[in-house]
Amino acid sequence: MFNHLLSLLIWLPVVGAIPVLLAGSARPHLARWLSLLVAVLAFVASLFLLVQYNPGGAAMQLVESHLWIASWDVHYGLAVDGISVALIVMTTFVGILVIAGAWEVIQDKPHQYMAAMLMLEGLLIGVFCATDALLFYALFEAILIPMFILIGVWGGPRRVYATLKFFIYTFFGSVFMLIALLYLYQKAHTFDLATLAALPLTFKEQAWIFFAFLIAFAIKVPMVPVHTWLPDAHVEAPTGGSVVLAAVMLKVGTYGMLRFILPIVPDAGAHFAWLIIVLSLIAIVYIGYVALVQEDMKKLVAYSSVAHMGFVTLGIFIAFMLVREQGNTDMALLGMQGAMIQMISHGFVSGAMFTCIGVMYDRTHTRLIKDYGGVINVMPWFGFFYVLFAMANCGLPGTSGFVGEFMVILSSFSANPWIALFAAFTLIIGAGYTLWLVKRVLWGEIANPHVAEMKEINARETFVLGAFAAAVLALGIWPQPLVHLMDNSVAQLVQQLAIHKI
């Protein structure tokens, strides 16, 4: 079974969606229990993956390769390194919480909702372990379908506008990625990522390919200025859709940068690193200010996601600057590790924040901040979790939000103290918009009769929020196991930064 563990992780949720779908709307409880069973089995399989993976090795492990399209030399190629393993375990973990969170909330066609969630989970796992560029591209595109359905069917009043905007943005970026892949295929006659990484390219070729990849992945992250689809998608998406979108789907963009830009066009990546760093700082500082003026809680957290993901891109590309200009591999390693930890941390924190907003929305059917006040008086346990996740969103020491951001700022200081200073502004701005949100929603007198009637979180909601809280605190207090899991893989990425192709 271990020889096909990665295939099992991909296809178990996808195939498991079929009986969930067949359960039909007449048997919603059966559909819910089946989907939960599949999600739990996928999580257990990911724990097997964690046990099987050897963090002492830097090479890709658990390799699967089967010829898929012989005439084009396309393979069904799968393998993982420490970064992939961490993202896969996070995906299956979030998958359980999303299904549990939607248990009683989704009353309209729950079987279809649960099936779409499972399919999305399987496709995302496939993205994180594909070693063939065409297979990656196929999965990269396929994840649009279930997310399109989730927003379009169970979304808010402007769901059609949000889904079309989401689809147009991401599809537009994917076209450039496909053109770049076809060009590389003409040169290498294969889509194997390892072969493409070894392919010699002139700087001019690298520059064109770099921007083609950058457009595709920057939209997915999303980076400024192609981030405008994200707030609309979050506002209109159901709670589960927002959680998966923020926790996992945004990581596909930064993961793509690691797998494509970094090894295939390292010279162009180093040359244009300044551009990504500037865009990352704009995301961190300017988008933080944009979050301050939001009236909708979901929009506020969505904008904060753009700012926090700016730390991930900053950590990745500051490593280019440190290696190529200063030869400082130690600090480059720290920055890259910080970026990876921030990816995982943001998955937990943003997922938890959107879950909290969903809990309040289920009771009052509004997400406007002005409609709340004094919530902690009627929901003290919910208030405890909300404050904890808000502190993690601010980057409070002891929570996961602190670890990655601190490592990236420390690494940035070695490259340029001004970059570190701008990046550190996010700790102030983030604390500003997050604490202001908490003040207006939780504290003070009970704002209106609707708030007075809000009921405390039930056992199911406590389980979901408690699991997120455990992950946030565990990573914040003891990040070493995650660092150890990804250490050799990140070190190899840093070594690749020093390779010149021209």
Side-chain angles (χ1 to χ4, degrees):
M1 182 183 75
F2 296 137
N3 293 333
H4 302 285
L5 185 55
L6 298 180
S7 287
L8 177 69
L9 275 159
I10 296 170
W11 295 108
L12 176 63
V14 174
V15 175
I18 296 173
V20 173
L21 203 57
L22 293 176
S25 56
R27 291 172 289 183
H29 287 300
L30 178 61
R32 293 183 182 111
W33 281 109
L34 279 174
S35 59
L36 183 62
L37 175 64
V38 173
V40 170
L41 289 175
F43 178 63
V44 171
S46 72
L47 295 182
F48 271 114
L49 173 67
L50 192 61
V51 173
Q52 286 297 306
Y53 179 76
N54 175 18
M60 300 296 276
Q61 300 178 28
L62 297 161
V63 177
E64 289 183 44
S65 184
H66 308 283
L67 194 58
W68 180 19
I69 307 174
S71 56
W72 296 350
D73 194 33
V74 178
H75 286 73
Y76 172 78
L78 307 173
V80 288
D81 63 1
I83 300 167
S84 304
V85 172
L87 289 169
I88 289 170
V89 173
M90 183 185 73
T91 303
T92 58
F93 177 76
V94 170
I96 294 176
L97 302 185
V98 166
I99 287 174
W103 199 261
E104 297 164 353
V105 177
I106 300 297
Q107 294 293 329
D108 181 30
K109 305 183 185 75
H111 62 299
Q112 295 178 6
Y113 179 90
M114 300 294 182
M117 277 294 177
L118 289 174
M119 290 186 68
L120 182 58
E121 179 180 330
L123 295 171
L124 284 166
I125 292 171
V127 168
F128 293 138
C129 56
T131 57
D132 185 281
L134 196 62
L135 177 64
F136 179 94
Y137 179 79
L139 294 165
F140 186 80
E141 289 299 288
I143 59 177
L144 294 179
I145 300 171
M147 183 51 76
F148 188 90
I149 294 171
L150 284 168
I151 300 175
V153 176
W154 291 275
R158 297 176 71 241
R159 59 184 178 274
V160 174
Y161 168 77
T163 48
L164 288 176
K165 191 173 181 180
F166 165 68
F167 187 84
I168 290 170
Y169 264 72
T170 50
F171 190 71
F172 173 80
S174 301
V175 169
F176 288 92
M177 183 182 176
L178 180 61
I179 293 170
L181 291 181
L182 291 176
Y183 182 83
L184 290 169
Y185 178 77
Q186 292 299 317
K187 300 272 293 185
H189 305 293
T190 180
F191 288 105
D192 178 59
L193 278 175
T195 305
L196 297 182
L199 186 68
L201 295 167
T202 66
F203 180 78
K204 186 177 180 181
E205 289 174 316
Q206 288 193 44
W208 282 108
I209 294 168
F210 169 81
F211 282 106
F213 284 151
L214 179 63
I215 292 170
F217 297 133
I219 290 173
K220 270 287 197 298
V221 171
M223 296 180 69
V224 173
V226 289
H227 66 284
T228 58
W229 64 270
L230 185 69
D232 290 315
H234 271 306
V235 167
E236 299 304 322
T239 299
S242 286
V243 173
V244 172
L245 182 60
V248 187
M249 277 191 71
L250 301 190
K251 313 306 176 295
V252 170
T254 45
Y255 182 80
M257 289 178 179
L258 296 175
R259 292 289 180 245
F260 286 81
I261 291 178
L262 196 150
I264 296 175
V265 289
D267 300 297
H271 185 79
F272 295 109
W274 65 270
L275 174 64
I276 310 301
I277 291 170
V278 169
L279 293 176
S280 301
L281 292 175
I282 292 173
I284 290 169
V285 179
Y286 170 68
I287 296 298
Y289 279 114
V290 174
L292 268 170
V293 298
Q294 297 306 311
E295 298 177 349
D296 185 307
M297 286 188 286
K298 262 194 168 182
K299 268 197 174 180
L300 189 152
V301 178
Y303 278 112
S304 81
S305 286
V306 177
H308 286 300
M309 288 303 290
F311 264 97
V312 180
T313 50
L314 176 62
I316 293 172
F317 283 89
I318 205 72
F320 270 106
M321 184 181 287
L322 285 162
V323 170
R324 292 294 185 106
E325 296 182 9
Q326 300 180 9
N328 192 343
T329 54
D330 290 340
M331 295 310 290
L333 183 63
L334 184 70
M336 193 75 83
Q337 285 176 335
M340 299 304 105
I341 291 174
Q342 177 68 1
M343 284 172 68
I344 303 297
S345 168
H346 180 261
F348 295 139
V349 176
S350 65
M353 290 293 287
F354 280 115
T355 302
C356 285
I357 295 169
V359 166
M360 288 190 286
Y361 181 81
D362 293 340
R363 286 157 172 75
T364 60
H365 301 290
T366 176
R367 290 186 298 268
L368 295 178
I369 298 170
K370 67 179 178 61
D371 293 334
Y372 292 94
V375 172
I376 201 165
N377 294 308
V378 293
M379 301 175 69
W381 276 110
F382 171 78
F384 166 76
F385 285 117
Y386 199 94
V387 170
L388 172 65
F389 300 136
M391 294 300 104
N393 203 46
C394 296
L396 187 77
T399 65
S400 64
F402 172 76
V403 182
E405 291 184 356
F406 178 73
M407 293 168 77
V408 171
I409 291 173
L410 201 59
S411 175
S412 301
F413 190 85
S414 294
N416 187 317
W418 285 105
I419 295 176
L421 179 64
F422 276 105
F425 266 125
T426 194
L427 299 177
I428 301 169
I429 302 168
Y433 62 69
T434 306
L435 294 178
W436 197 31
L437 172 69
V438 170
K439 174 185 175 295
R440 288 179 290 172
V441 172
L442 289 187
W443 306 115
E445 298 296 323
I446 295 174
N448 54 58
H450 297 295
V451 174
E453 293 172 359
M454 291 174 74
K455 294 181 180 177
E456 181 60 288
I457 49 176
N458 57 33
R460 175 183 56 81
E461 292 165 334
T462 303
F463 164 73
V464 174
L465 295 176
F468 273 125
V472 167
L473 289 174
L475 187 53
I477 295 170
W478 195 35
Q480 183 56 32
L482 180 61
V483 174
H484 177 64
L485 174 67
M486 298 192 291
D487 194 31
N488 282 341
S489 302
V490 174
Q492 190 176 44
L493 288 178
V494 172
Q495 288 175 5
Q496 287 179 333
L497 297 179
I499 297 174
H500 292 268
K501 284 192 169 185
I502 53 177

